[in-house]
mmCIF file of all heavy atoms in Angstrom:
data_model
loop_
_atom_site.group_PDB
_atom_site.id
_atom_site.type_symbol
_atom_site.label_atom_id
_atom_site.label_comp_id
_atom_site.label_asym_id
_atom_site.label_seq_id
_atom_site.Cartn_x
_atom_site.Cartn_y
_atom_site.Cartn_z
ATOM 1 N N PRO A 129 -29.300 38.460 -5.315
ATOM 2 C CA PRO A 129 -29.129 38.793 -6.739
ATOM 3 C C PRO A 129 -28.669 37.546 -7.481
ATOM 4 O O PRO A 129 -28.364 36.515 -6.866
ATOM 5 C CB PRO A 129 -28.038 39.866 -6.706
ATOM 6 C CG PRO A 129 -27.241 39.558 -5.482
ATOM 7 C CD PRO A 129 -28.237 39.022 -4.477
ATOM 8 N N ASP A 130 -28.606 37.631 -8.791
ATOM 9 C CA ASP A 130 -28.184 36.456 -9.554
ATOM 10 C C ASP A 130 -26.756 36.044 -9.221
ATOM 11 O O ASP A 130 -26.412 34.865 -9.268
ATOM 12 C CB ASP A 130 -28.305 36.739 -11.055
ATOM 13 C CG ASP A 130 -29.762 36.874 -11.481
ATOM 14 O OD1 ASP A 130 -30.567 36.017 -11.110
ATOM 15 O OD2 ASP A 130 -30.082 37.859 -12.171
ATOM 16 N N ASP A 131 -25.918 37.032 -8.882
ATOM 17 C CA ASP A 131 -24.548 36.749 -8.460
ATOM 18 C C ASP A 131 -23.974 38.036 -7.878
ATOM 19 O O ASP A 131 -24.560 39.111 -8.039
ATOM 20 C CB ASP A 131 -23.690 36.283 -9.634
ATOM 21 C CG ASP A 131 -22.553 35.356 -9.193
ATOM 22 O OD1 ASP A 131 -22.173 35.421 -7.996
ATOM 23 O OD2 ASP A 131 -22.057 34.592 -10.033
ATOM 24 N N TYR A 132 -22.858 37.931 -7.192
ATOM 25 C CA TYR A 132 -22.161 39.138 -6.744
ATOM 26 C C TYR A 132 -20.661 38.909 -6.822
ATOM 27 O O TYR A 132 -20.170 37.780 -6.698
ATOM 28 C CB TYR A 132 -22.600 39.565 -5.339
ATOM 29 C CG TYR A 132 -22.178 38.665 -4.203
ATOM 30 C CD1 TYR A 132 -20.975 38.880 -3.534
ATOM 31 C CD2 TYR A 132 -22.990 37.616 -3.776
ATOM 32 C CE1 TYR A 132 -20.587 38.066 -2.481
ATOM 33 C CE2 TYR A 132 -22.621 36.808 -2.720
ATOM 34 C CZ TYR A 132 -21.415 37.031 -2.075
ATOM 35 O OH TYR A 132 -21.044 36.222 -1.026
ATOM 36 N N LEU A 133 -19.940 40.010 -7.066
ATOM 37 C CA LEU A 133 -18.485 39.950 -7.238
ATOM 38 C C LEU A 133 -17.824 40.952 -6.298
ATOM 39 O O LEU A 133 -18.328 42.072 -6.113
ATOM 40 C CB LEU A 133 -18.098 40.297 -8.675
ATOM 41 C CG LEU A 133 -18.513 39.301 -9.769
ATOM 42 C CD1 LEU A 133 -18.240 39.893 -11.141
ATOM 43 C CD2 LEU A 133 -17.769 37.995 -9.604
ATOM 44 N N ILE A 134 -16.700 40.538 -5.738
ATOM 45 C CA ILE A 134 -15.915 41.427 -4.883
ATOM 46 C C ILE A 134 -14.805 42.055 -5.723
ATOM 47 O O ILE A 134 -14.051 41.357 -6.406
ATOM 48 C CB ILE A 134 -15.298 40.661 -3.687
ATOM 49 C CG1 ILE A 134 -16.393 39.926 -2.882
ATOM 50 C CG2 ILE A 134 -14.514 41.615 -2.788
ATOM 51 C CD1 ILE A 134 -17.408 40.832 -2.239
ATOM 52 N N LYS A 135 -14.735 43.386 -5.717
ATOM 53 C CA LYS A 135 -13.669 44.097 -6.433
ATOM 54 C C LYS A 135 -12.340 43.919 -5.701
ATOM 55 O O LYS A 135 -12.338 43.857 -4.462
ATOM 56 C CB LYS A 135 -13.988 45.586 -6.528
ATOM 57 C CG LYS A 135 -15.258 45.931 -7.295
ATOM 58 C CD LYS A 135 -15.493 47.450 -7.214
ATOM 59 C CE LYS A 135 -16.756 47.873 -7.899
ATOM 60 N NZ LYS A 135 -17.016 49.323 -7.744
ATOM 61 N N PRO A 136 -11.225 43.892 -6.409
ATOM 62 C CA PRO A 136 -11.112 43.854 -7.872
ATOM 63 C C PRO A 136 -11.351 42.447 -8.402
ATOM 64 O O PRO A 136 -11.068 41.452 -7.717
ATOM 65 C CB PRO A 136 -9.685 44.318 -8.118
ATOM 66 C CG PRO A 136 -8.927 43.835 -6.909
ATOM 67 C CD PRO A 136 -9.902 43.945 -5.744
ATOM 68 N N PHE A 137 -11.888 42.344 -9.584
ATOM 69 C CA PHE A 137 -12.099 41.038 -10.213
ATOM 70 C C PHE A 137 -11.505 41.085 -11.621
ATOM 71 O O PHE A 137 -11.346 42.156 -12.217
ATOM 72 C CB PHE A 137 -13.582 40.676 -10.266
ATOM 73 C CG PHE A 137 -14.473 41.799 -10.751
ATOM 74 C CD1 PHE A 137 -14.586 42.096 -12.105
ATOM 75 C CD2 PHE A 137 -15.189 42.555 -9.836
ATOM 76 C CE1 PHE A 137 -15.401 43.129 -12.536
ATOM 77 C CE2 PHE A 137 -16.004 43.590 -10.259
ATOM 78 C CZ PHE A 137 -16.125 43.892 -11.618
ATOM 79 N N SER A 138 -11.192 39.928 -12.148
ATOM 80 C CA SER A 138 -10.558 39.855 -13.467
ATOM 81 C C SER A 138 -11.618 39.925 -14.566
ATOM 82 O O SER A 138 -12.817 39.694 -14.324
ATOM 83 C CB SER A 138 -9.778 38.540 -13.598
ATOM 84 O OG SER A 138 -10.673 37.442 -13.596
ATOM 85 N N ALA A 139 -11.153 40.194 -15.778
ATOM 86 C CA ALA A 139 -12.052 40.218 -16.930
ATOM 87 C C ALA A 139 -12.702 38.852 -17.121
ATOM 88 O O ALA A 139 -13.897 38.744 -17.412
ATOM 89 C CB ALA A 139 -11.277 40.622 -18.182
ATOM 90 N N ALA A 140 -11.903 37.821 -16.941
ATOM 91 C CA ALA A 140 -12.416 36.455 -17.121
ATOM 92 C C ALA A 140 -13.515 36.135 -16.108
ATOM 93 O O ALA A 140 -14.518 35.479 -16.428
ATOM 94 C CB ALA A 140 -11.276 35.448 -16.993
ATOM 95 N N THR A 141 -13.325 36.604 -14.871
ATOM 96 C CA THR A 141 -14.320 36.328 -13.834
ATOM 97 C C THR A 141 -15.653 36.999 -14.165
ATOM 98 O O THR A 141 -16.722 36.376 -14.067
ATOM 99 C CB THR A 141 -13.819 36.835 -12.463
ATOM 100 O OG1 THR A 141 -12.617 36.136 -12.121
ATOM 101 C CG2 THR A 141 -14.868 36.613 -11.392
ATOM 102 N N LEU A 142 -15.604 38.258 -14.577
ATOM 103 C CA LEU A 142 -16.839 38.979 -14.893
ATOM 104 C C LEU A 142 -17.577 38.311 -16.053
ATOM 105 O O LEU A 142 -18.792 38.042 -15.950
ATOM 106 C CB LEU A 142 -16.540 40.440 -15.238
ATOM 107 C CG LEU A 142 -17.752 41.297 -15.656
ATOM 108 C CD1 LEU A 142 -18.770 41.391 -14.526
ATOM 109 C CD2 LEU A 142 -17.309 42.688 -16.091
ATOM 110 N N THR A 143 -16.881 38.029 -17.123
ATOM 111 C CA THR A 143 -17.545 37.453 -18.293
ATOM 112 C C THR A 143 -18.055 36.041 -18.004
ATOM 113 O O THR A 143 -19.140 35.654 -18.460
ATOM 114 C CB THR A 143 -16.600 37.421 -19.505
ATOM 115 O OG1 THR A 143 -15.383 36.741 -19.152
ATOM 116 C CG2 THR A 143 -16.253 38.824 -19.955
ATOM 117 N N GLN A 144 -17.251 35.278 -17.233
ATOM 118 C CA GLN A 144 -17.671 33.911 -16.913
ATOM 119 C C GLN A 144 -18.936 33.903 -16.055
ATOM 120 O O GLN A 144 -19.853 33.108 -16.282
ATOM 121 C CB GLN A 144 -16.527 33.185 -16.187
ATOM 122 C CG GLN A 144 -16.779 31.690 -15.945
ATOM 123 C CD GLN A 144 -17.537 31.426 -14.649
ATOM 124 O OE1 GLN A 144 -17.353 32.156 -13.669
ATOM 125 N NE2 GLN A 144 -18.378 30.415 -14.647
ATOM 126 N N ARG A 145 -19.008 34.827 -15.073
ATOM 127 C CA ARG A 145 -20.180 34.890 -14.191
ATOM 128 C C ARG A 145 -21.424 35.304 -14.974
ATOM 129 O O ARG A 145 -22.506 34.743 -14.774
ATOM 130 C CB ARG A 145 -19.927 35.874 -13.054
ATOM 131 C CG ARG A 145 -18.830 35.453 -12.085
ATOM 132 C CD ARG A 145 -19.257 34.295 -11.179
ATOM 133 N NE ARG A 145 -18.243 34.035 -10.172
ATOM 134 C CZ ARG A 145 -18.200 34.611 -8.975
ATOM 135 N NH1 ARG A 145 -19.099 35.517 -8.634
ATOM 136 N NH2 ARG A 145 -17.238 34.306 -8.108
ATOM 137 N N ILE A 146 -21.267 36.297 -15.852
ATOM 138 C CA ILE A 146 -22.415 36.730 -16.654
ATOM 139 C C ILE A 146 -22.896 35.580 -17.546
ATOM 140 O O ILE A 146 -24.100 35.290 -17.612
ATOM 141 C CB ILE A 146 -22.053 37.965 -17.508
ATOM 142 C CG1 ILE A 146 -21.804 39.197 -16.625
ATOM 143 C CG2 ILE A 146 -23.178 38.266 -18.508
ATOM 144 C CD1 ILE A 146 -21.304 40.421 -17.382
ATOM 145 N N ASN A 147 -21.960 34.925 -18.205
ATOM 146 C CA ASN A 147 -22.319 33.809 -19.081
ATOM 147 C C ASN A 147 -23.021 32.688 -18.321
ATOM 148 O O ASN A 147 -24.016 32.118 -18.789
ATOM 149 C CB ASN A 147 -21.073 33.248 -19.769
ATOM 150 C CG ASN A 147 -20.867 33.834 -21.151
ATOM 151 O OD1 ASN A 147 -21.833 34.121 -21.849
ATOM 152 N ND2 ASN A 147 -19.621 34.017 -21.548
ATOM 153 N N SER A 148 -22.483 32.370 -17.161
ATOM 154 C CA SER A 148 -23.030 31.278 -16.359
ATOM 155 C C SER A 148 -24.496 31.539 -15.991
ATOM 156 O O SER A 148 -25.345 30.650 -16.124
ATOM 157 C CB SER A 148 -22.190 31.107 -15.088
ATOM 158 O OG SER A 148 -22.728 30.097 -14.268
ATOM 159 N N VAL A 149 -24.775 32.766 -15.541
ATOM 160 C CA VAL A 149 -26.150 33.104 -15.161
ATOM 161 C C VAL A 149 -27.057 33.120 -16.389
ATOM 162 O O VAL A 149 -28.187 32.616 -16.363
ATOM 163 C CB VAL A 149 -26.210 34.463 -14.434
ATOM 164 C CG1 VAL A 149 -27.655 34.848 -14.138
ATOM 165 C CG2 VAL A 149 -25.412 34.411 -13.137
ATOM 166 N N LEU A 150 -26.556 33.686 -17.492
ATOM 167 C CA LEU A 150 -27.350 33.750 -18.720
ATOM 168 C C LEU A 150 -27.748 32.356 -19.216
ATOM 169 O O LEU A 150 -28.908 32.125 -19.581
ATOM 170 C CB LEU A 150 -26.571 34.473 -19.816
ATOM 171 C CG LEU A 150 -26.676 35.992 -19.876
ATOM 172 C CD1 LEU A 150 -25.721 36.541 -20.926
ATOM 173 C CD2 LEU A 150 -28.104 36.430 -20.190
ATOM 174 N N VAL A 151 -26.795 31.432 -19.241
ATOM 175 C CA VAL A 151 -27.071 30.076 -19.715
ATOM 176 C C VAL A 151 -28.133 29.416 -18.837
ATOM 177 O O VAL A 151 -29.092 28.812 -19.332
ATOM 178 C CB VAL A 151 -25.773 29.230 -19.742
ATOM 179 C CG1 VAL A 151 -26.092 27.765 -19.994
ATOM 180 C CG2 VAL A 151 -24.814 29.754 -20.797
ATOM 181 N N ARG A 152 -27.961 29.535 -17.514
ATOM 182 C CA ARG A 152 -28.924 28.910 -16.579
ATOM 183 C C ARG A 152 -30.322 29.507 -16.738
ATOM 184 O O ARG A 152 -31.315 28.779 -16.836
ATOM 185 C CB ARG A 152 -28.425 29.077 -15.142
ATOM 186 C CG ARG A 152 -29.465 28.702 -14.093
ATOM 187 C CD ARG A 152 -28.888 28.575 -12.705
ATOM 188 N NE ARG A 152 -28.036 29.663 -12.302
ATOM 189 C CZ ARG A 152 -28.469 30.816 -11.753
ATOM 190 N NH1 ARG A 152 -29.765 31.020 -11.598
ATOM 191 N NH2 ARG A 152 -27.612 31.746 -11.384
ATOM 192 N N LYS A 153 -30.394 30.837 -16.772
ATOM 193 C CA LYS A 153 -31.707 31.479 -16.815
ATOM 194 C C LYS A 153 -32.373 31.298 -18.177
ATOM 195 O O LYS A 153 -33.612 31.240 -18.268
ATOM 196 C CB LYS A 153 -31.593 32.953 -16.458
ATOM 197 C CG LYS A 153 -31.060 33.176 -15.037
ATOM 198 C CD LYS A 153 -31.202 34.593 -14.560
ATOM 199 C CE LYS A 153 -32.568 34.857 -13.982
ATOM 200 N NZ LYS A 153 -32.654 36.166 -13.294
ATOM 201 N N SER A 154 -31.577 31.192 -19.219
ATOM 202 C CA SER A 154 -32.137 30.926 -20.546
ATOM 203 C C SER A 154 -32.742 29.522 -20.601
ATOM 204 O O SER A 154 -33.836 29.324 -21.137
ATOM 205 C CB SER A 154 -31.046 31.077 -21.608
ATOM 206 O OG SER A 154 -31.546 30.761 -22.887
ATOM 207 N N ALA A 155 -32.041 28.563 -20.022
ATOM 208 C CA ALA A 155 -32.529 27.177 -20.019
ATOM 209 C C ALA A 155 -33.821 27.044 -19.210
ATOM 210 O O ALA A 155 -34.737 26.306 -19.586
ATOM 211 C CB ALA A 155 -31.453 26.251 -19.461
ATOM 212 N N LEU A 156 -33.898 27.781 -18.097
ATOM 213 C CA LEU A 156 -35.032 27.643 -17.175
ATOM 214 C C LEU A 156 -36.072 28.751 -17.345
ATOM 215 O O LEU A 156 -36.914 28.964 -16.468
ATOM 216 C CB LEU A 156 -34.513 27.650 -15.729
ATOM 217 C CG LEU A 156 -33.468 26.588 -15.370
ATOM 218 C CD1 LEU A 156 -33.039 26.739 -13.916
ATOM 219 C CD2 LEU A 156 -34.002 25.186 -15.629
ATOM 220 N N TYR A 157 -36.037 29.436 -18.478
ATOM 221 C CA TYR A 157 -36.888 30.620 -18.659
ATOM 222 C C TYR A 157 -38.378 30.365 -18.386
ATOM 223 O O TYR A 157 -39.018 31.143 -17.669
ATOM 224 C CB TYR A 157 -36.694 31.188 -20.065
ATOM 225 C CG TYR A 157 -37.617 32.348 -20.362
ATOM 226 C CD1 TYR A 157 -37.444 33.589 -19.743
ATOM 227 C CD2 TYR A 157 -38.689 32.193 -21.249
ATOM 228 C CE1 TYR A 157 -38.296 34.646 -20.004
ATOM 229 C CE2 TYR A 157 -39.548 33.248 -21.523
ATOM 230 C CZ TYR A 157 -39.349 34.467 -20.892
ATOM 231 O OH TYR A 157 -40.199 35.510 -21.147
ATOM 232 N N PRO A 158 -38.995 29.293 -18.929
ATOM 233 C CA PRO A 158 -40.431 29.081 -18.650
ATOM 234 C C PRO A 158 -40.715 28.940 -17.150
ATOM 235 O O PRO A 158 -41.741 29.432 -16.660
ATOM 236 C CB PRO A 158 -40.751 27.787 -19.400
ATOM 237 C CG PRO A 158 -39.728 27.721 -20.489
ATOM 238 C CD PRO A 158 -38.470 28.282 -19.874
ATOM 239 N N LEU A 159 -39.821 28.290 -16.418
ATOM 240 C CA LEU A 159 -39.982 28.140 -14.973
ATOM 241 C C LEU A 159 -39.872 29.491 -14.275
ATOM 242 O O LEU A 159 -40.708 29.843 -13.418
ATOM 243 C CB LEU A 159 -38.920 27.178 -14.443
ATOM 244 C CG LEU A 159 -38.722 27.110 -12.914
ATOM 245 C CD1 LEU A 159 -40.010 26.736 -12.215
ATOM 246 C CD2 LEU A 159 -37.610 26.119 -12.574
ATOM 247 N N LEU A 160 -38.860 30.267 -14.626
ATOM 248 C CA LEU A 160 -38.653 31.571 -13.994
ATOM 249 C C LEU A 160 -39.801 32.528 -14.316
ATOM 250 O O LEU A 160 -40.211 33.327 -13.470
ATOM 251 C CB LEU A 160 -37.319 32.170 -14.462
ATOM 252 C CG LEU A 160 -36.079 31.342 -14.106
ATOM 253 C CD1 LEU A 160 -34.843 31.943 -14.767
ATOM 254 C CD2 LEU A 160 -35.886 31.275 -12.596
ATOM 255 N N LEU A 161 -40.340 32.431 -15.531
ATOM 256 C CA LEU A 161 -41.473 33.270 -15.918
ATOM 257 C C LEU A 161 -42.707 32.922 -15.087
ATOM 258 O O LEU A 161 -43.444 33.819 -14.644
ATOM 259 C CB LEU A 161 -41.769 33.082 -17.411
ATOM 260 C CG LEU A 161 -42.901 33.940 -17.994
ATOM 261 C CD1 LEU A 161 -42.572 35.427 -17.885
ATOM 262 C CD2 LEU A 161 -43.169 33.554 -19.447
ATOM 263 N N ALA A 162 -42.937 31.631 -14.863
ATOM 264 C CA ALA A 162 -44.076 31.194 -14.051
ATOM 265 C C ALA A 162 -43.952 31.719 -12.617
ATOM 266 O O ALA A 162 -44.933 32.162 -12.016
ATOM 267 C CB ALA A 162 -44.172 29.671 -14.059
ATOM 268 N N VAL A 163 -42.731 31.679 -12.078
ATOM 269 C CA VAL A 163 -42.507 32.192 -10.717
ATOM 270 C C VAL A 163 -42.775 33.691 -10.673
ATOM 271 O O VAL A 163 -43.468 34.187 -9.770
ATOM 272 C CB VAL A 163 -41.068 31.886 -10.245
ATOM 273 C CG1 VAL A 163 -40.787 32.575 -8.916
ATOM 274 C CG2 VAL A 163 -40.859 30.373 -10.101
ATOM 275 N N ASP A 164 -42.247 34.424 -11.657
ATOM 276 C CA ASP A 164 -42.447 35.878 -11.695
ATOM 277 C C ASP A 164 -43.923 36.247 -11.821
ATOM 278 O O ASP A 164 -44.375 37.259 -11.283
ATOM 279 C CB ASP A 164 -41.659 36.499 -12.852
ATOM 280 C CG ASP A 164 -40.171 36.598 -12.554
ATOM 281 O OD1 ASP A 164 -39.791 36.443 -11.378
ATOM 282 O OD2 ASP A 164 -39.386 36.818 -13.498
ATOM 283 N N ASN A 165 -44.691 35.400 -12.525
ATOM 284 C CA ASN A 165 -46.120 35.653 -12.709
ATOM 285 C C ASN A 165 -46.965 35.079 -11.568
ATOM 286 O O ASN A 165 -48.199 35.100 -11.631
ATOM 287 C CB ASN A 165 -46.597 35.070 -14.043
ATOM 288 C CG ASN A 165 -46.035 35.828 -15.226
ATOM 289 O OD1 ASN A 165 -45.677 37.003 -15.122
ATOM 290 N ND2 ASN A 165 -45.941 35.169 -16.373
ATOM 291 N N LYS A 166 -46.278 34.538 -10.559
ATOM 292 C CA LYS A 166 -46.940 33.961 -9.373
ATOM 293 C C LYS A 166 -47.853 32.788 -9.742
ATOM 294 O O LYS A 166 -48.851 32.526 -9.076
ATOM 295 C CB LYS A 166 -47.722 35.028 -8.612
ATOM 296 C CG LYS A 166 -46.833 36.146 -8.090
ATOM 297 C CD LYS A 166 -47.593 37.150 -7.257
ATOM 298 C CE LYS A 166 -46.632 38.227 -6.721
ATOM 299 N NZ LYS A 166 -47.322 39.227 -5.884
ATOM 300 N N GLU A 167 -47.465 32.066 -10.802
ATOM 301 C CA GLU A 167 -48.175 30.838 -11.180
ATOM 302 C C GLU A 167 -47.427 29.662 -10.546
ATOM 303 O O GLU A 167 -46.733 28.891 -11.209
ATOM 304 C CB GLU A 167 -48.221 30.729 -12.704
ATOM 305 C CG GLU A 167 -48.994 31.869 -13.359
ATOM 306 C CD GLU A 167 -48.847 31.897 -14.871
ATOM 307 O OE1 GLU A 167 -47.847 31.336 -15.381
ATOM 308 O OE2 GLU A 167 -49.716 32.486 -15.545
ATOM 309 N N PHE A 168 -47.577 29.551 -9.220
ATOM 310 C CA PHE A 168 -46.703 28.672 -8.445
ATOM 311 C C PHE A 168 -46.966 27.188 -8.706
ATOM 312 O O PHE A 168 -46.030 26.383 -8.713
ATOM 313 C CB PHE A 168 -46.827 28.995 -6.953
ATOM 314 C CG PHE A 168 -46.468 30.416 -6.633
ATOM 315 C CD1 PHE A 168 -47.371 31.257 -6.002
ATOM 316 C CD2 PHE A 168 -45.225 30.924 -6.984
ATOM 317 C CE1 PHE A 168 -47.042 32.576 -5.710
ATOM 318 C CE2 PHE A 168 -44.886 32.241 -6.717
ATOM 319 C CZ PHE A 168 -45.810 33.065 -6.073
ATOM 320 N N ASN A 169 -48.213 26.815 -8.915
ATOM 321 C CA ASN A 169 -48.496 25.400 -9.173
ATOM 322 C C ASN A 169 -47.900 24.972 -10.520
ATOM 323 O O ASN A 169 -47.360 23.870 -10.641
ATOM 324 C CB ASN A 169 -50.008 25.148 -9.146
ATOM 325 C CG ASN A 169 -50.565 25.263 -7.732
ATOM 326 O OD1 ASN A 169 -49.969 24.771 -6.774
ATOM 327 N ND2 ASN A 169 -51.704 25.924 -7.599
#
Side-chain angles (χ1 to χ4, degrees):
D130 292 312
D131 208 338
Y132 69 91
L133 292 172
I134 305 297
K135 298 176 182 177
F137 46 79
S138 66
T141 298
L142 177 62
T143 54
Q144 187 273 326
R145 294 288 187 90
I146 292 174
N147 264 326
S148 178
V149 176
L150 273 174
V151 170
R152 169 167 48 85
K153 298 192 84 170
S154 177
L156 303 179
Y157 176 70
L159 167 58
L160 299 173
L161 182 62
V163 173
D164 284 346
N165 291 336
K166 299 184 178 181
E167 297 170 338
F168 301 122
N169 290 317

